[in-house]
Amino acid sequence: FNIKVVYKLLWHLLKCHREELGDASTAALMYLLVDDGSSASGSLKLSDVLVQKNSFVGGFSLNTECLTSQYSNGPPTLARQNIRNTHGVSTVLRLLRFLSPDKKERWLFDFLALILASPNGVNMILACDDWQPCLFQLVAEVIEEINGDRDDSGNDENAAKD
């Protein structure tokens, strides 16, 4: 498989199920993006997550216990983490425009914390092909929202004067 194709498929899956994304999904994506310097962050294998179960259609099941056990004391602090996966960063950046405002805000603050924690984080994000159009889109949405709020408040004031 081409790695870009795999991440494109991941993006489509996340986009289609964006309403169901919760804390476990965010933790899994963060795990995909960062290296916290511990031996556990690089030790997860696909065979640990996918287990064969002949009773299921397709014969496999997801084993989330291995991820839960790694973070049983809570996720590691962002201060020790470095971005390690530019394809994952691109996937999340492209997903941002489709997320709810609170999820979008959480991811933007997480990216900012990762950049502040490690100067190498800036270089990793800049290495992504998608960072400029994605962040430009977010800035454009914020400007439209600000202008819309200003227009709405201006119309309310004009209506009150009439």
Side-chain angles (χ1 to χ4, degrees), residues 89-104:
V89 171
S90 289
T91 300
V92 173
L93 286 174
R94 286 194 324 265
L95 183 66
L96 284 178
R97 69 185 294 190
F98 299 102
L99 295 177
S100 64
D102 58 324
K103 290 178 185 173
K104 189 182 307 185

Side-chain angles (χ1 to χ4, degrees), residues 76-111:
T77 61
L78 288 176
R80 296 189 340 244
Q81 298 183 349
N82 297 310
I83 298 173
R84 66 174 171 182
N85 186 336
T86 57
H87 296 296
V89 171
S90 289
T91 300
V92 173
L93 286 174
R94 286 194 324 265
L95 183 66
L96 284 178
R97 69 185 294 190
F98 299 102
L99 295 177
S100 64
D102 58 324
K103 290 178 185 173
K104 189 182 307 185
E105 180 180 345
R106 179 178 177 177
W107 272 109
L108 289 172
F109 277 109
D110 285 346
F111 276 132

Side-chain angles (χ1 to χ4, degrees), residues 49-68:
V49 179
L50 282 177
V51 292
Q52 189 168 4
K53 298 247 178 158
N54 293 329
S55 60
F56 289 113
V57 176
F60 289 93
S61 173
L62 287 175
N63 176 17
T64 58
E65 291 177 19
C66 60
L67 289 173
T68 306

